[in-house]
Each structure stands twice: as C-alpha cells, then as structure tokens.
Amino acid sequence: SAVISQKPSRDICQRGTSLTIQCQVDSQVTMMFWYRQQPGQSLTLIATANQGSEATYESGFVIDKFPISRPNLTFSTLTVSNMSPEDSSIYLCSVEGWGRGGPEAFFGQGTRLTVV
Amino acid sequence: AQTVTQSQPEMSVQEAETVTLSCTYDTSENNYDLVWYKQPPSRQMILVIRQEAYKQQNATENRFSVNFQKAAKSFSLKISDSQLGDTAMYFCASSGTYKYIFGTGTRLKVLA
C-alpha cells in the first residue's frame, strides 16, 4: 500500500493569486497523478507527473494554469495559477500501488480550495 | 476513448437491507480493471472492490459484490446488510494503461 500526505487540506484564496499543493508519498513511485473534483462532481485527471520529465496533461488542462513539479520519486507539487472562482474544487493526488491482491490507486485526502 | 456512466445520482437504503448501484462503461482497452471507490465525508477515497476484466467470476469482498457483464459493459455493485458507515459517495471507474476514468458518482445514504 501507499500512504499519501497532501498539504494543505484546505485553503481560501483570493482570485488572481496562486496556490501550491504538496503531495508526499511514503514510498518511491514512478508516476503520480493529479485529479480535480469539482463540487458534486466526479474526479477528472489533470495530469500525470513523472520524475525527470515534464508532466503529461489531459485535454482541457495546460501547464501554464497547472504547473507541476516532480523533483524526486516521493514528492510532487501542483500549482493552481491565477485562480478564479471556477477553480474552486477538491484537488487530489494519487499513486498506483499494490493493494489487496492487485494494483490499486491510492489517494491523498485532497485539498479543498475555495477561490473568492 | 473511455467513458464510465453512473445513472443514479442518489440512492437510499434502510439499514440491513441490500442495495445495488449501477455502472456502465465503454473502453477501447483490451486489458483493464473495473473498480468501485467509496468517498465518505472525510474525502478519503477508499477502494471497495476490484474486478479484472479478463476474469469471468464476479468479485466479492465481504458484504460487497459485483455483477460484471462484459458483453453488456455493465458493472454493478451490490451492498448487502447495509450499515450506517456505508453512507458515502460511490464512484465506479475503469482502469486502463495507468489511467482511471471515473463515473459521476452515486450518493448513497443508509437510513437507520
């Protein structure tokens, strides 16, 4: 299994500012995933972060808005830049590990972001 | 392209009763898993059950079982003997090459 620590757990930010979310895993992993969960909605993959290379972004998400760092195999950050109220969401970090008899996605507890 | 559809936004069930949550999916992957995750108010995503698509036998995990119909691309979750602690948002997802596609979720409320 993998234990993921995500910080901050919540924040209220002014529009136009940026917030950096940190994700720390208790074991080395090749890929880390960042998801967005808009209010009352499902999880949408923002990007996949590989150590030593640029993150791979999903359709609708761009690096200028959501820059990602992956300095080592246990840590990643996601920055939400130039925030607007539409960015109010829960942001979740995830890694793939080995769970009960098979591969499993493990998640951090998420960062609840409110933009005012 | 992969899609996952959950057509029941909300459901409720009496404690100790059985409830079934529906999920349909579409995928172009040959090798994939299907999973159900639970998200209680704490926001922590918890794996409930996993089905490897190449396996015909339906997965079971204590009170949780699935009805996997590969030809129909259907993957429903049955919760038996529902408990108050089962109250949560339930997400169905398909897992392909290192990527999960989630459905929109079903909010389940277990009533005392």
Side-chain angles (χ1 to χ4, degrees):
Chain A
S1 66
V3 177
I4 301 173
S5 171
Q6 199 174 325
K7 293 178 184 178
S9 61
R10 59 179 64 224
D11 207 343
I12 300 173
C13 300
Q14 296 290 323
R15 68 175 68 201
T17 62
S18 298
L19 176 72
T20 295
I21 302 167
Q22 298 180 3
C23 180
Q24 178 77 51
V25 190
D26 68 343
S27 56
Q28 293 186 338
V29 293
T30 305
M31 289 186 285
M32 296 177 78
F33 304 90
W34 286 99
Y35 287 87
R36 181 175 73 181
Q37 186 178 17
Q38 291 178 302
Q41 298 196 26
S42 185
L43 284 74
T44 302
L45 183 63
I46 297 171
T48 304
N50 295 310
Q51 196 267 334
S53 64
E54 285 215 353
T56 303
Y57 288 83
E58 298 298 306
S59 174
F61 298 97
V62 295
I63 188 171
D64 289 347
K65 177 68 176 175
F66 297 102
I68 287 171
S69 80
R70 184 80 202 275
N72 57 52
L73 291 172
T74 63
F75 187 79
S76 177
T77 67
L78 170 76
T79 298
V80 187
S81 303
N82 188 24
M83 288 184 284
S84 68
E86 291 71 34
D87 295 320
S88 297
S89 291
I90 296 170
Y91 293 85
L92 294 122
C93 170
S94 173
V95 302
E96 182 112 330
W98 196 259
R100 300 192 305 260
E104 180 176 333
F106 295 91
F107 290 84
Q109 282 197 285
T111 297
R112 183 184 292 279
L113 170 61
T114 304
V115 184
V116 297
Chain B
Q2 295 185 67
T3 59
V4 176
T5 302
Q6 293 178 252
S7 58
Q8 305 152 312
E10 288 188 7
M11 293 191 73
S12 61
V13 62
Q14 287 293 134
E15 199 175 4
E17 297 290 306
T18 295
V19 64
T20 298
L21 309 184
S22 302
C23 174
T24 58
Y25 68 95
D26 196 5
T27 180
S28 54
E29 304 261 357
N30 290 323
N31 221 358
Y32 61 95
D33 289 353
L34 296 161
V35 294
W36 280 95
Y37 273 88
K38 165 184 175 180
Q39 187 181 43
S42 68
R43 301 201 305 260
Q44 182 67 58
M45 293 281 283
I46 301 164
L47 179 69
V48 175
I49 197 164
R50 185 174 61 94
Q51 172 82 41
E52 292 160 298
Y54 71 88
K55 288 185 178 176
Q56 291 188 333
Q57 187 172 5
N58 288 325
T60 63
E61 194 80 42
N62 301 316
R63 298 184 294 108
F64 300 89
S65 62
V66 299
N67 182 4
F68 175 45
Q69 303 286 330
K70 192 169 185 179
K73 296 186 176 177
S74 167
F75 180 61
S76 61
L77 174 69
K78 184 169 89 171
I79 306 174
S80 304
D81 185 25
S82 297
Q83 300 176 358
L84 295 177
D86 296 332
T87 292
M89 196 75 171
Y90 287 80
F91 292 100
C92 174
S94 71
S95 159
T97 313
Y98 299 113
K99 202 186 279 194
Y100 282 76
I101 304 296
F102 287 86
T104 50
T106 296
R107 187 175 301 279
L108 176 68
K109 192 167 187 177
V110 180
L111 307 170

